[in-house]
Amino acid sequence: PGRAFRAVRDSELAATSSGVNLAAYKTGAFALSAFYAGVAGSLYVIAATFANPETFPVAFSLTLLVGAVVAGLGSFWGLLAGAAFLTFVDDLAEALATAPGVPDTIFGLVLVALVLVLPTGVAGGLRRLFDPLTSRL
């Protein structure tokens, strides 16, 4: 099953041609992620002893999505870079301009420039940078 999930992640066409039931494995991956999200939510409610939908606003969800886009996939260093981006670029944009809406515009422009320069995220950029160095080893 692990190899089938990996094949579906890498190339759906190749996985299907290898005999992997694409619909079943995609549904299984969705169900597994929903299970873990449910367990995490229930553990959070047990720890906080209070459940409120306003605890996680839409802006927080978008911030996490931006962090995932910046980070890319499959790298701890990319994850750290995504967290640093969210923390420092937002603070830097607020320090540069105090007019209403300007810090958000600066943050958005830096994000768009980063996505154009590194379309696979920081993790993909690091992988592309260090691949020639590590392939000789």
Side-chain angles (χ1 to χ4, degrees):
R3 288 186 183 179
F5 277 123
R6 202 174 288 155
V8 170
R9 179 195 67 191
D10 292 340
S11 173
E12 293 178 4
L13 183 62
T16 304
S17 61
S18 297
V20 174
N21 186 352
L22 190 65
Y25 276 96
K26 280 188 162 187
T27 304
F30 181 75
L32 189 64
S33 69
F35 169 76
Y36 280 123
V39 168
S42 64
L43 290 175
Y44 176 76
V45 167
I46 289 170
T49 66
F50 180 68
N52 184 5
E54 294 174 0
T55 305
F56 299 105
V58 175
F60 182 68
S61 298
L62 291 175
T63 302
L64 291 178
L65 179 65
V66 167
V69 167
V70 169
L73 297 174
S75 172
F76 178 71
W77 300 110
L79 180 67
L80 289 178
F85 177 84
L86 289 176
T87 302
F88 296 122
V89 173
D90 196 25
D91 291 343
L92 181 68
E94 287 180 7
L96 287 176
T98 57
V102 176
D104 294 333
T105 304
I106 293 172
F107 184 79
L109 289 174
V110 170
L111 178 64
V112 168
L114 187 68
V115 168
L116 288 175
V117 172
L118 297 171
T120 57
V122 174
L126 289 174
R127 193 175 302 118
R128 189 174 42 198
L129 179 69
F130 290 119
D131 237 4
L133 299 173
T134 57
S135 64
R136 295 184 189 265
L137 299 174

